[in-house]
Amino acid sequence: MRLVSFREGGEHRLGVVDGLELVDVTARVGDIGLRAAASPLRALLSAGGSIADILAVPEGERRLLDSVQLEPVIPDPGKIIAAPVNYRDHQAEMQEDFHIDALGVFLKAPSSVIASGGTVRLPYTDRRFDQEGELALVIGREARNVSVDEALDYVAGYTMLLDMTMRGGEDRSTRKSFDTFTPIGPFLVTPDEVGALDELQLRTWVNDDLRQDADIRDLIWGVPQLIAYASSVMTLRPGDVITTGTPAGVGQVVDGDRLTVEITGLGTLTAAVSSEDAVVCPTNGARRGPRPPEDVTPVRSR
C-alpha cells in the first residue's frame, strides 16, 4: 500500500494511491476517533495495528494524484533521527576519521520538512550547501530497547528524504535543521510492497547530473541496527522518522538547481533550490568541521 498526505481547504488529508489516482481515506481515520490535533497519517499510525487492516478496501472520493497539493508524507513527525557517516564511501570523500559506530545519531528539527515538489531555501549567501539523498523510514508503533531481530516489526513504511546540509563547524543538528531542509516523500510505502531492503538502489540527480548511485545493502548500520540503537537512546513513537544516511556523491547546490531522488519501488522525490532572501551568515563555522570534496565524487560503475 502507498499512502500520501495532501492538503485541501486548509486541512491535512490522507490518500491511498491507486495508479495515477488516490482514494481520500481521511474520513476513515476520523471514523475511528483518531484525529485530535495530529495529521491523519500520524493519527492512523498512533492507532496501532495494521494499516492494511484499518484501511481494508479503502473507500472514498477518487481524484487524480497530480491534481492535489502534496504535503510532506508525514507532515508532523515527532522527531527526525538521522545517521551520520553511514556509508564507507561517504566517509572517505568527507575525510572523516569516524563513522556511525563512533558518532551515534543526531536530530533534525521536525519543522524542516517540506513536500516533494517543494523548494529548498538557502538561508545564507556566503556558505556552502550540499544535497544528501537518503532512504528513510517511519515508525509505526512505540519502540523502546527493541532488538535488532525485532526492529523491522516497528516500521510502518519507507520513503525518501533529502538531508540538506550547510557545511561547516556548527553542530550537525543546526546545519541540517533550517526550514525546508528536509524534503520527504512523496509516498509512504508499506514494507510488504517494498520487499527486501538489500535489493534497493538509491540515485540522486542535481539537474541532469547523476551524483549519487548506491546500494542500500552498503549501509554500515542497516535499518534494523539503526532502529535498535535509536530505541536504546530514546523512545520511538508512531510518526517518528529515521533517515539512514547518504552515500558518496554529495556536492554543492545553488540557486536554480533541481534535485531528484529515486529509490527502487519508492517513487521520485523532487525539490527546487532558491537563494531568494538569503543573507550573510551570522556564525563563523565556515572553515571548520568535516571537509567536503571540492569536486563531486564520480558515481561508480556497476
Side-chain angles (χ1 to χ4, degrees), residues 123-145:
Y124 304 133
T125 58
D126 56 340
R127 297 297 294 267
R128 170 173 165 163
F129 299 92
D130 288 12
Q131 102 292 332
E132 298 187 0
E134 305 190 7
L135 170 71
L137 62 98
V138 177
I139 294 295
R141 59 192 178 99
E142 188 167 299
R144 177 65 179 159
N145 289 322

Side-chain angles (χ1 to χ4, degrees), residues 44-45 51 59 63 66 77 87 107 118 122 137 163 198 215 219-221 235 242 245 267 282-283:
L44 174 64
L45 298 177
I51 292 175
E59 297 179 355
R63 63 198 74 190
D66 63 7
Y87 287 84
L107 296 173
L122 307 181
L137 62 98
D163 179 19
D198 284 352
D215 294 316
L219 287 166
I220 297 172
W221 280 11
T235 300
I242 299 179
T283 56

Side-chain angles (χ1 to χ4, degrees), residues 34-258:
L34 299 173
R35 286 301 305 277
S39 67
L41 180 53
R42 189 169 171 191
L44 174 64
L45 298 177
S46 298
S50 164
I51 292 175
D53 289 345
I54 294 173
L55 299 180
V57 192
E59 297 179 355
E61 182 182 350
R62 283 183 173 264
R63 63 198 74 190
L64 291 175
L65 184 59
D66 63 7
S67 70
V68 302
Q69 178 188 348
L70 289 181
E71 290 200 296
V73 68
I74 179 78
D76 52 349
K79 50 188 172 287
I80 303 170
I81 302 165
V85 196
N86 200 21
Y87 287 84
R88 293 191 184 277
D89 58 2
H90 181 53
Q91 180 185 11
E93 75 173 352
M94 293 297 293
Q95 304 176 62
E96 285 271 20
D97 293 330
F98 304 104
H99 55 65
I100 191 169
D101 272 349
L103 299 172
V105 295
F106 65 95
L107 296 173
K108 287 174 62 92
S111 56
S112 66
V113 296
I114 60 171
S116 180
T119 299
V120 173
R121 301 199 175 275
L122 307 181
Y124 304 133
T125 58
D126 56 340
R127 297 297 294 267
R128 170 173 165 163
F129 299 92
D130 288 12
Q131 102 292 332
E132 298 187 0
E134 305 190 7
L135 170 71
L137 62 98
V138 177
I139 294 295
R141 59 192 178 99
E142 188 167 299
R144 177 65 179 159
N145 289 322
V146 302
S147 69
V148 171
D149 290 342
E150 297 174 333
L152 293 184
D153 295 339
Y154 293 82
V155 176
Y158 298 90
T159 189
M160 293 172 288
L161 181 149
L162 273 159
D163 179 19
M164 303 304 299
T165 301
M166 180 177 77
R167 295 303 177 193
E170 294 88 352
D171 183 81
R172 269 189 174 89
S173 292
T174 298
R175 294 187 288 106
K176 294 167 174 280
S177 285
F178 293 97
D179 287 354
T180 75
F181 266 37
T182 311
I184 185 171
F187 311 122
L188 181 71
V189 185
T190 52
D192 60 296
E193 190 167 327
V194 173
L197 298 179
D198 284 352
E199 296 178 6
L200 303 185
Q201 297 176 356
L202 177 153
R203 293 183 176 90
T204 305
W205 289 260
V206 176
N207 303 318
D208 295 323
D209 296 327
L210 178 63
R211 286 194 178 178
Q212 296 181 287
D213 185 359
D215 294 316
I216 299 302
R217 65 172 173 266
D218 291 336
L219 287 166
I220 297 172
W221 280 11
V223 170
Q225 189 173 1
L226 272 174
I227 296 170
Y229 173 72
S231 76
S232 76
V233 176
M234 62 196 88
T235 300
L236 307 179
R237 294 195 168 92
D240 286 350
V241 173
I242 299 179
T243 187
T244 59
T246 201
V250 302
Q252 187 171 13
V253 299
V254 297
D255 182 78
D257 281 342
R258 295 174 289 105

